[in-house]
Amino acid sequence: MPAAATLKATIRFTASPSFGVSLVLGDSGSPLGTGVLSDAATTPVDVTASVNSVSINRGRDRILDRSEAGSCTITMTDTTGAFDPDNGTYADKILPMRQLQITATYSAVVYTLFSGFIEEWDYTYSPGEDAAFITVTAADAFRILNLTDVATVTGASAGDLTGTRIGEILDEVNWPSSSRDFSTGLTTCQADPGTTRDTLTAIQTVVDTELGAFFTKTNGVLKFMDRNAIVKAHAATPTTYVDTGVGIYYESVDFDIDDTILANDVTVAREGGTAQNVTDATSVTSFFERDLSRTGLLMDSDADALLQAKAILNERKDPELRIGSLTIDAYQDTSARVIAALGTELFDPITVTRTQPGGGTVSRNLSVQGISHIISPSAWKTTFQTAEKILDGFILDSSTSGKLGTNALSY
């Protein structure tokens, strides 16, 4: 594997699936209180020596979309028969829903890149080859939430804040509290509708109600960010990428001006409420009517629905130059670049500057919305899917979100 960072792949061949992430000494992603001390029967097995490549994808591509289940694919070569599903060392343990974790060590620091559950073991045998070629695919905790249903949510009553409501939904499927990292929430919910739906859909409806974010962290912990947490994240000191060598050098950047996220006629409706609609006449005149509708939300008042509609309209009514993705080469041992590839998390702020033909520059303050790694013995490419901030908000003393006349007071 690449020399800059040392990759490690482990599989937890337990007798039954487990929510808990195993404790990794030196890894800030699985600290005491979150990581689970394993006994001999559940100790993760290091399979790195058999791994040929790793592909990881997390997050989402577009603003206002819901985060998808994170995924990881590893390819392996088995020349000893250890992974023979009938006769090998792990013959009775080659099963779905075993835990897979990918970590990388750089400068004595351990970074967790993915934690999830194996969905499939796929074996290929080539004529004349005394080896098995194995592709292992895994998904993060969203996969489990998508496979379980909830109906009546115990304790879910009118007046719950969104963070509380999501916690109550997870209690229904016995998701451990140690595997949650939640904001409190700013929006008050009405009573749960009590309909049968999968757990992930139930949670995402609450997240949409908040206009927040929900995803699985690299260590397997579920993360909920309310509006305030998102605004604060964007206001933090950004990692700077510049193509001139002043900041972290990137390999490629993709940007364009299009109508992908344009919305000038926005409707937000809550369960049992009256649909709240706002439009921007100037934008409609310039770009035709572009509708965006969010329905079935659980805020407890039409006033909150109207505030959400106005917030979305304010940020989406005008098309802007978008930097959609940024790719960096983490194979070379360039400290700042490698640390950025390994340590960046969803919703972290970055600044990207591109020198244009003729000497001009394009610079944008962005939020990381998706992260992917393509790793092989001769390459390590990390790509960040990026977007402008979802919500504007005024943060005192922030260089990016503390400008009077520029940043709005968020609802």
Side-chain angles (χ1 to χ4, degrees), residues 76 82 128 133 157 169 174 212 219 228 267 280 283 293 337 373 378:
M76 305 168 61
F133 302 95
S157 58
I169 294 170
N174 298 314
N219 62 358
N228 190 44
T267 299
D280 186 276
S283 178
S293 180
R337 192 188 313 167
H373 301 278
S378 60

Side-chain angles (χ1 to χ4, degrees), residues 1 6 26 37 88-89 99 110 125 156 164 174 181 192 214 236 247 263 280 306 350 367 395 405:
M1 286 294 158
T6 302
L37 290 172
T89 305
Q99 282 193 3
V110 181
Y125 302 92
T164 299
N174 298 314
D181 180 4
D192 183 79
F214 183 65
D280 186 276
L306 179 59
I350 64 175
S367 174
I395 303 292

Side-chain angles (χ1 to χ4, degrees), residues 55 70-75 95-98 100 114 116-122 134-140:
S55 174
S71 64
C72 178
T73 300
I74 65 173
T75 62
L95 297 167
M97 291 294 110
R98 306 303 92 170
L100 170 69
F114 177 84
F117 302 87
I118 293 173
E119 296 180 291
E120 181 182 12
W121 301 75
D122 182 75
I134 309 166
T135 300
V136 179
T137 57
D140 66 19

Side-chain angles (χ1 to χ4, degrees), residues 174-378:
N174 298 314
W175 193 271
S177 58
S178 61
S179 291
R180 309 177 193 181
D181 180 4
F182 285 4
S183 299
T184 303
L186 302 175
T187 300
T188 304
C189 298
Q190 59 183 270
D192 183 79
T195 56
T196 300
R197 66 277 198 208
D198 68 81
T199 305
L200 183 57
T201 295
I203 291 172
Q204 287 175 329
T205 299
V206 181
V207 176
D208 291 347
T209 298
E210 171 68 36
L211 199 54
F214 183 65
F215 57 91
T216 305
K217 296 167 62 174
T218 57
N219 62 358
V221 171
L222 295 175
K223 174 78 170 180
F224 167 62
M225 299 175 69
D226 62 23
R227 299 190 303 278
N228 190 44
I230 291 173
V231 171
K232 285 185 175 180
H234 190 80
T237 303
T239 302
T240 301
Y241 297 87
V242 183
D243 59 356
T244 61
V246 177
I248 299 173
Y249 186 80
Y250 55 83
E251 186 171 76
S252 63
V253 66
D254 168 60
F255 59 84
D256 55 27
I257 301 175
D258 62 21
D259 61 355
T260 301
I261 60 173
L262 180 64
N264 51 35
D265 189 319
V266 179
T267 299
V268 175
R270 67 187 184 99
E271 282 289 329
T274 301
Q276 302 298 301
N277 176 258
V278 291
T279 61
D280 186 276
T282 301
S283 178
V284 171
T285 299
S286 299
F287 308 111
F288 301 103
E289 183 175 309
R290 301 300 299 267
D291 295 334
L292 174 65
S293 180
R294 294 163 67 88
T295 61
L297 304 187
L298 298 176
M299 60 274 290
D300 65 355
S301 73
D302 288 339
D304 266 349
L306 179 59
L307 287 172
Q308 183 176 125
K310 288 180 176 179
I312 293 171
L313 180 69
N314 184 61
E315 294 299 319
R316 303 277 82 89
K317 61 186 176 61
D318 299 311
E320 295 180 350
L321 177 66
R322 297 190 309 114
I323 296 179
S325 66
L326 171 86
T327 298
I328 58 178
D329 182 358
Y331 184 78
Q332 297 179 349
D333 192 358
T334 304
S335 180
R337 192 188 313 167
V338 175
I339 291 172
L342 302 181
T344 298
E345 181 55 292
L346 299 178
F347 288 88
D348 282 355
I350 64 175
T351 296
V352 181
T353 299
R354 162 69 182 174
T355 303
Q356 298 291 83
T361 60
V362 173
S363 185
R364 291 291 186 274
N365 296 315
L366 304 165
S367 174
V368 174
Q369 299 293 299
I371 301 172
S372 66
H373 301 278
I374 305 295
I375 308 166
S376 71
S378 60

Side-chain angles (χ1 to χ4, degrees), residues 58-133:
R58 302 174 53 242
R60 59 187 179 183
D61 292 331
R62 294 181 178 179
I63 207 75
L64 291 181
D65 284 352
R66 292 171 171 175
S67 293
E68 301 293 334
S71 64
C72 178
T73 300
I74 65 173
T75 62
M76 305 168 61
T77 301
D78 180 16
T79 58
T80 66
F83 298 100
D84 180 336
D86 280 340
N87 309 294
T89 305
Y90 309 105
D92 59 341
K93 300 179 177 66
I94 304 294
L95 297 167
M97 291 294 110
R98 306 303 92 170
Q99 282 193 3
L100 170 69
Q101 188 170 75
I102 307 296
T103 62
T105 302
Y106 182 71
S107 295
V109 177
V110 181
Y111 299 86
T112 303
L113 302 181
F114 177 84
S115 299
F117 302 87
I118 293 173
E119 296 180 291
E120 181 182 12
W121 301 75
D122 182 75
Y123 288 76
T124 301
Y125 302 92
S126 300
E129 292 278 359
D130 189 19
F133 302 95

